[in-house]
Amino acid sequence: MTRYNYTAYKNGSSNIVKGQVEANNMREARTEVRSMGLIPTYIVEETAKEDKTKKKKKEVSRMPKMGLAEQIDFTSTMQILAAAGIPIIESLLFIENDATKLKIRQVAGELRRQIMNGGTFAGTIAKYPEQFGHVYIGLVKTGEDTGELEKTLDRLLELLNKQSAIRSKVIGTLMYPAFVILLAIFIVLVMLVFVFPVFKDMFDQMGMQLPWITRVLIDMGVFLKKNWYTIPMGFIALFAGINFLFKWKPSKWKIDEWVLKIPVLSKLVQFSNFANFIAVLQVAYDAGVPILECLYLANMTLTNHTLEQRVQEATVKIQQGQHLSAALRATRTMPKMILFMIATGEQSGRLGDMLGQAVNYIDKALDNIIDIMTKMIEPIMLIVIGTIVLILASALYLPLFASYMGM
């Protein structure tokens, strides 16, 4: 009997349980953990002693973190080589020597060295959750346990490509308004720093009472011209503040709650989140992962905290014996068509096929939402730019018009 250390998910919540079990192999260890009413997320054979802990941490620190594009390249090559019947060690050696990107070569080299020392592919990548992610690790473990690593890598590749496509769609939608806003800020700064101070002398010579908007903008321009260093400091403070708001949990959770109340934007957030959620759920289910573990892995893809919490509540209800469709319906966040497809799949025994149909439906719906947002953003940006131009022009020309009227 071998002793295994495990980390598991308890009662469909964020509670994590750690412990040890004794079993003959990894599969029996996972079965033993599940028999205790837990969802295993990390199981590894206890081979290291206390005096080797520092050495292990040092090994983990050498692994570079791959981006999504690099994960796709790595997984694609592994899948092709696995389909050709090439062993894991030789596949990693090929990637280590011939991959185009340095990070991928370093990852393959480190994985190969550890596997040659007696580890498994799934057990080795499980040491690097920050580099590969829990979803990737969980699916690879299932692939090794079921002897279908090749199919699992193919499913993973499809999943990663889908995540990349969704990310590209969302980023592409937000790029245009971000560019317009930055351009507007640049134009305003140029006007304030270089144009309004020039007009100040002319207005002073006219000796007339300036409108309040002109006085405010001139004072701002004079201040920024004398204290130019406040401009980059202001940008740094602005970006740091925004970054803090989206990373500090209380503020991020509040923002996640608010965006779900904004029309159209809430649809974009919901469908972009559930696109990844359903895709992972389908891939994990087809790989033979138990439904509770499927939900655990899928829930990790949700970036909106409110949606994540509601799906966790649904997981608890499923543990208590409720059907998947009924538990998800109670969250009141998932599209009704998706719920109908899941319910149909449960009743007909074709849940995997219906989840695949749900993925296609969400992709099309997300495309429609992005098209609507793109069409809405254009007139909104025109209104914003027009308003800025109107304010600047009014501040410059109102004193001139007043002067001509007084002549």
Side-chain angles (χ1 to χ4, degrees), residues 1-7 18-36 38 40 42-46:
M1 299 287 280
T2 305
R3 183 173 295 179
Y4 291 87
N5 294 324
Y6 70 84
T7 302
K18 295 183 179 180
Q20 292 182 338
V21 292
E22 290 186 352
N24 293 320
N25 51 50
M26 182 75 72
R27 181 176 296 181
E28 289 186 7
R30 292 175 68 85
T31 303
E32 180 68 21
V33 174
R34 287 175 187 150
S35 68
M36 294 186 287
L38 304 174
Y42 177 79
I43 297 179
V44 64
E45 183 179 345
E46 187 184 41

Side-chain angles (χ1 to χ4, degrees), residues 167-183:
R167 181 182 295 182
S168 298
K169 289 176 184 178
V170 175
I171 292 176
T173 304
L174 300 177
M175 280 289 289
Y176 176 69
F179 172 76
V180 172
I181 291 171
L182 289 175
L183 180 62

